[in-house]
Amino acid sequence: MVRTQKKKIRWQRFLPVYLLALPGFIYLIINNYMPMFGIIIAFKDLNFAKGMLASDWCGFDNFAYLFRSKDAWVITRNTVCYNIVFIILGVILGITVAIFLNEIRNKIAVRFYQSVVLIPHLMSWVVVSYLAYALLSTDVGFINQSVLKPLGAGPVSWYTEPGYWPVILTIVHLWKSIGFSCVIYYSSVIGISTDYYEAATIDGANKWQQIRSITLPLLKPTVITLTILNLGRIFASDFGLFYQIPRNSGVLYPTTRTLDVYVYNALMNNNDFAMSSAASVYQAVVGFIFIMIANGVIRKLSAENALF
Amino acid sequence: MINSASDKAVKVLANVCLTFLSICALFPFVLLIIASFTENGVAIAEGYSFTPSKLSLAAYEYLIQEWATIGRGYLMTIIVTTIGTAVGLMMTAMFSYALMVSDLPGHNILTVMVLISMLFNGGIVASYFIYSNVMHIKDTIFALIVPGLMMNAFNIILMRNFFKDSVSKEILESARIDGAGELRIFAQMVLPLSVPILATIGLLQAIGYWNDWTNGLYYLTKRGGSAYYTIQLILNQMNEDIQFLASNSAKLGIAVDTSDMPTTTMRMAIAFIAILPVLIAYPFFQKYFVKGISVGAVKG
């Protein structure tokens, strides 16, 4: 009797908690878990009349199609190489700017610089594509008309010349993300105890020596953790950057097309379910492997930063 | 001080570099704004420039004519951002609270569910298939609100950590002993103490909704869904088709003469109109924005 009453009280207490969790639970099921089972489309010869479950299985045929095309290699190479370049330059620039911010003692100036370099991060990729167009358009772009023309150089057709794009996309990426990464590194720079610097100053160390022997070594754990986390996402690409900035131009694909752009075009423009689902599952699975490796490494180095 | 000369050099270098970076961050926006006020013929002849030989308001006059479409786009952006942020934030807070009740039966299942959603996803095509063929959200307002943006594991973890740090266990226990139900504890104790994290995550979510264009790209068709186009989607559509505004206004029953449309400068004018509210509001939420980013970094 006592026991059932206790149980009743327990449920009276927990039922509201379940109700609180319910909307989020349903959302996770719809948004995250149902698509995980949706992976089976990649192994099906999709027939819309039959629907997803009733369509015929086709094993790894879709993947065979994908990897037989030379696209698979190009999109993988682009995704991975851009990410590596972005990670390296992002760390170097982010830390440099964060250290510079830390050298400025005037609080208002720090806030001003921080806010201004963050403005690009606040904009959508569509807006950034308009800014890029204002600079790069062949006939009315600022660079062709106001920079190259006065120098006597002919107009460059930026949107049809794949060779320039690794540089353009890297600059645009850094332009948009530098504010974000410097805020992150700055918050760990200001976390360093001032005692170290005071002691170093008493010992006669100048600013350069302090940066070299105090700031940089103490930033190392943050840098390592963030870099490994970013390496874990090496198979993901920023769809907005690679879709909007080159204006989804086919001529530029050899140097601009990444996995996400490929999947989008195969799915929405070519209605090629086989190719797009294979590429999307390829990305999800390899991405998962990278995240697991990254997490394993971080758990060894600094357990408190690991995801689990 | 022995080192004052070299220390001064560092300070000067820091200021010079940060000024240069600030200029780099801002100059494309300045170019965009000046371009939008340039006379269309001049823009075609001289290109977009900081010093056009003739200014004009023609682009904006034309945009006012097209207000039916643009105003609607703004309205949609505001509706989607408000509903999405409010519902998503509530959902995140409620779910995070459930994760904090550690003696809840099934607590571990909920935790693991969040964790797995961080590590693995079904990929874009599977999500697309589920949302369009199982949930049937194509060409509805849900297409802009539901997919991807409402709640994510990252925000749940931030929120739960904040709850744990700011609401002491003892207070919760004594409230339970005094007979307060979990709903009451959540609404009257946890939420009021968590205003900072609610503001931070809410802001990040609102920016996410305001800037989103990918959901519309996937789930709104040009024929059936253009009534739901937000300002970002109008911009995106105009990238493909500068006549879009006029053709859409015609669909809404407004006759527009497109023969003298100042297309070259109008692009820039509408982009400026799209970013103007963000630029105006930015100084007021700037502090929380910076905080949101650095809070997220602590638990990367």
Side-chain angles (χ1 to χ4, degrees):
Chain A
M1 192 59 201
V2 178
R3 218 173 151 170
T4 49
Q5 206 159 22
K6 227 179 182 175
K7 224 174 180 180
K8 208 175 149 197
I9 291 170
R10 237 164 89 89
W11 285 110
Q12 260 173 4
R13 184 181 151 217
F14 287 133
L15 188 66
V17 185
Y18 287 123
L19 286 178
L20 287 177
L22 190 65
F25 179 81
I26 294 174
Y27 186 72
L28 281 176
I29 296 286
I30 294 175
N31 192 65
N32 299 80
Y33 285 87
M34 279 164 69
M36 287 185 200
F37 295 101
I39 280 182
I40 58 169
I41 339 172
F43 304 94
K44 292 236 174 190
D45 181 14
L46 195 74
N47 180 337
F48 273 96
K50 289 186 187 169
M52 182 175 80
L53 291 172
S55 293
D56 301 324
W57 292 97
C58 67
F60 283 88
D61 284 3
N62 292 336
F63 293 92
Y65 278 127
L66 175 69
F67 290 108
R68 233 178 283 144
S69 73
K70 65 176 192 305
D71 291 343
W73 155 243
V74 173
I75 56 180
T76 307
R77 178 200 67 189
N78 287 351
T79 309
V80 171
C81 289
Y82 275 114
N83 270 324
I84 291 175
V85 173
F86 291 174
I87 290 171
I88 294 172
L89 293 178
V91 168
I92 295 172
L93 275 173
I95 291 182
T96 313
V97 179
I99 288 175
F100 281 151
L101 269 179
N102 193 43
E103 291 309 321
I104 290 166
R105 293 279 164 253
N106 183 340
K107 283 271 168 297
I108 297 170
V110 169
R111 236 172 94 175
F112 172 80
Y113 287 133
Q114 225 177 16
S115 317
V116 170
V117 292
L118 263 175
I119 290 178
H121 182 65
L122 197 64
M123 297 296 156
S124 76
W125 280 115
V126 189
V127 168
V128 180
S129 85
Y130 278 75
L131 299 173
Y133 179 81
L135 293 169
L136 296 174
S137 155
T138 308
D139 3 299
V140 292
F142 178 76
I143 292 181
N144 275 351
Q145 289 275 0
S146 303
V147 178
L148 294 180
K149 213 179 193 178
L151 292 174
V156 175
S157 177
W158 302 101
Y159 285 104
T160 55
E161 193 49 68
Y164 299 118
W165 282 84
V167 178
I168 296 173
L169 289 174
T170 306
I171 292 173
V172 174
H173 167 82
L174 290 173
W175 177 79
K176 196 166 187 292
S177 67
I178 184 76
F180 179 80
S181 47
C182 93
V183 166
I184 288 179
Y185 287 116
Y186 181 63
S187 68
S188 74
V189 170
I190 54 175
I192 298 173
S193 158
T194 49
D195 295 354
Y196 293 119
Y197 296 106
E198 275 158 20
T201 313
I202 291 166
D203 289 347
N206 66 24
K207 280 281 174 222
W208 287 121
Q209 289 164 328
Q210 290 178 22
I211 290 171
R212 242 196 6 244
S213 3
I214 301 173
T215 318
L216 289 180
L218 287 175
L219 275 181
K220 217 161 113 192
T222 315
V223 173
I224 292 173
T225 312
L226 287 176
T227 305
I228 295 171
L229 280 176
N230 284 330
L231 284 173
R233 288 193 284 266
I234 203 163
F235 242 59
S237 68
D238 193 336
F239 177 62
L241 172 65
F242 296 99
Y243 174 81
Q244 287 289 352
I245 307 303
R247 306 172 85 77
N248 201 19
S249 157
V251 202
L252 302 178
Y253 279 165
T255 55
T256 62
R257 189 157 60 166
T258 57
L259 276 157
D260 297 77
V261 178
Y262 179 84
V263 171
Y264 171 78
N265 281 318
L267 178 68
M268 304 301 286
N269 295 335
N270 309 333
N271 287 316
D272 190 341
F273 252 100
M275 284 290 210
S276 62
S277 59
S280 129
V281 169
Y282 164 55
Q283 180 179 29
V285 171
V286 182
F288 172 69
I289 295 169
F290 272 103
I291 288 182
M292 294 306 281
I293 295 173
N295 191 63
V297 174
I298 289 186
R299 207 160 36 169
K300 282 240 161 68
L301 293 176
S302 63
E304 76 275 16
N305 285 307
L307 292 171
F308 64 92
Chain B
M1 291 296 267
I2 321 156
N3 298 315
S4 65
S6 95
D7 289 4
K8 214 171 204 160
V10 174
K11 203 166 235 172
V12 171
L13 183 67
N15 271 302
V16 169
C17 286
L18 286 167
T19 309
F20 174 74
L21 268 181
S22 304
I23 293 171
C24 286
L26 288 180
F27 92 91
F29 294 101
V30 177
L31 180 65
L32 176 107
I33 295 167
I34 295 178
S36 72
F37 287 106
T38 306
E39 208 269 322
N40 198 50
V42 170
I44 292 169
E46 300 173 4
Y48 300 124
S49 110
F50 288 99
T51 50
S53 55
K54 193 166 172 226
L55 296 174
S56 145
L57 286 173
Y60 290 93
E61 282 162 14
Y62 203 86
L63 285 185
I64 290 169
Q65 283 183 47
E66 304 286 349
W67 195 247
T69 300
I70 297 170
R72 211 191 148 83
Y74 255 122
L75 190 67
M76 289 313 300
T77 299
I78 291 167
I79 292 174
V80 166
T81 305
T82 317
I83 298 180
T85 307
V87 177
L89 192 60
M90 232 23 239
M91 205 191 245
T92 309
M94 284 160 31
F95 195 85
S96 308
Y97 180 71
L99 288 184
M100 223 182 48
V101 182
S102 49
D103 52 343
L104 182 79
H107 174 265
N108 288 340
I109 297 177
L110 295 182
T111 313
V112 170
M113 260 181 92
V114 172
L115 182 65
I116 291 178
S117 78
M118 268 171 116
L119 300 174
F120 191 66
N121 63 77
I124 305 159
V125 175
S127 291
Y128 175 78
F129 193 86
I130 296 294
Y131 273 120
S132 52
N133 289 45
V134 181
M135 306 305 297
H136 299 289
I137 61 160
K138 269 203 146 180
D139 291 339
T140 67
I141 183 113
F142 298 109
L144 297 175
I145 297 177
V146 179
L149 298 170
M150 270 192 143
M151 187 177 85
N152 63 54
F154 187 67
N155 287 348
I156 295 175
I157 291 173
L158 281 184
M159 185 101 69
R160 195 212 41 195
N161 287 348
F162 189 93
F163 286 171
K164 271 197 172 146
D165 294 344
S166 63
V167 188
S168 87
K169 267 209 153 84
E170 291 76 36
I171 296 182
L172 286 183
E173 280 314 315
S174 63
R176 278 175 191 143
I177 289 164
D178 290 347
E182 296 290 333
L183 282 181
R184 226 176 108 195
I185 293 176
F186 173 66
Q188 295 186 352
M189 296 176 66
V190 176
L191 281 188
L193 284 170
S194 308
V195 173
I197 195 75
L198 291 172
T200 308
I201 292 180
L203 176 69
L204 294 182
Q205 275 196 307
I207 293 171
Y209 274 110
W210 185 281
N211 281 340
D212 183 60
W213 49 276
T214 45
N215 275 344
L217 196 68
Y218 275 103
Y219 301 112
L220 293 182
T221 60
K222 199 175 165 190
R223 279 180 55 203
S226 63
Y228 296 113
Y229 273 12
T230 59
I231 201 85
Q232 304 288 345
L233 288 164
I234 291 174
L235 278 180
N236 176 58
Q237 196 56 54
M238 274 184 42
N239 255 342
E240 291 168 25
D241 170 16
I242 191 74
Q243 305 286 338
F244 170 77
L245 279 186
S247 61
N248 204 50
S249 291
K251 227 165 53 186
L252 294 166
I254 301 145
V256 179
D257 177 18
T258 59
S259 56
D260 59 345
M261 200 161 79
T263 52
T264 308
T265 55
M266 210 178 76
R267 276 172 196 283
M268 299 300 145
I270 184 168
F272 179 48
I273 288 192
I275 62 176
L276 190 60
V278 181
L279 291 178
I280 292 173
Y282 184 50
F284 301 102
F285 67 73
Q286 170 275 129
K287 219 170 83 191
Y288 301 95
F289 188 49
V290 173
K291 213 175 122 203
I293 292 172
S294 38
V295 161
V298 176
K299 189 78 195 172

